[in-house]
Amino acid sequence: AAKLAAGNNSSNRIINSSSNMSSSASLDKNPFTAGTTTVGATGTRKVFIPRDFTNGLELRFSTAFPVQLQGRIPEETFVAVVTNINEILTAAERGSPAVYMESIFACLTGYLLYLCIDTHYEKSLKQVSRLVAEYNRTTFEPNRLMLVDPSDRGLRVLEIVVLND
């Protein structure tokens, strides 16, 4: 491998660029911290809560309280909201006898069953959407915030929009 890298200049550039990337990646902040983006002419701010990969690829969001929300919503409320969403999404991915039977019947019907019923996963996503709408109505909107449905963002982040005062 050393002979290949020494004989090919493009390999040297690749090796050098990857070593630069690794050194700059070590300077980055904690990957689980929330980020803020200012969008549009009105200056709408958005706070992004990233996925939490500490337990592998399990679908869950970080419960770390973002500093951008201090003074707008209590930390306990934020943690409770994210925990409730995480519990529903974890249950959606968990296998159960009902989920296995649903899959067997779908296979036996040539997957035409899915034209008639929602899957367990789809039902869970709808439950999260209803929960987000309820939290917006009762918790976030009175504090000039809006929680965006995570399925609108591909289940990659929780987005909280800070509405203008």
Side-chain angles (χ1 to χ4, degrees):
K3 192 174 191 181
L4 275 175
N8 189 344
N9 289 337
S10 63
S11 296
N12 286 337
R13 274 185 256 136
I14 292 171
I15 291 170
N16 290 337
S17 66
S18 66
S19 64
N20 289 342
M21 286 181 0
S22 64
S23 64
S24 65
S26 63
L27 298 175
D28 289 346
K29 294 181 181 177
N30 182 355
F32 299 115
T33 57
T36 303
T37 304
T38 303
V39 180
T42 59
T44 303
R45 290 186 307 148
K46 296 181 178 185
V47 179
F48 296 98
I49 312 302
R51 293 257 311 261
D52 181 2
F53 292 103
T54 56
N55 293 332
L57 295 178
E58 179 179 293
L59 180 54
R60 58 183 296 108
F61 297 100
S62 174
T63 55
F65 187 66
V67 294
Q68 298 90 340
L69 297 180
Q70 285 181 348
R72 289 196 166 264
I73 188 171
E75 183 175 354
E76 300 80 29
T77 303
F78 171 81
V79 171
V81 167
V82 175
T83 301
N84 286 341
I85 291 172
N86 284 341
E87 287 172 356
I88 294 170
L89 293 174
T90 300
E93 292 188 333
R94 189 174 302 128
S96 69
V99 172
Y100 297 131
M101 290 304 294
E102 176 185 293
S103 297
I104 290 170
F105 286 133
C107 184
L108 292 174
T109 62
Y111 296 96
L112 293 174
L113 178 70
Y114 291 143
L115 296 174
C116 303
I117 66 166
D118 288 335
T119 64
H120 172 70
Y121 195 79
E122 290 169 333
K123 290 175 188 175
S124 297
L125 290 180
K126 287 180 181 180
Q127 184 180 2
V128 168
S129 295
R130 287 190 302 270
L131 185 66
V132 166
E134 179 67 22
Y135 278 135
N136 276 333
R137 190 177 59 75
T138 60
T139 305
F140 287 96
E141 288 175 1
N143 292 312
R144 305 287 299 147
L145 300 169
M146 183 181 73
L147 179 62
V148 177
D149 189 348
S151 59
D152 291 347
R153 300 292 172 255
L155 299 174
R156 293 171 293 139
V157 294
L158 282 179
E159 178 181 334
I160 300 174
V161 178
V162 179
L163 303 173
N164 291 334
D165 293 327

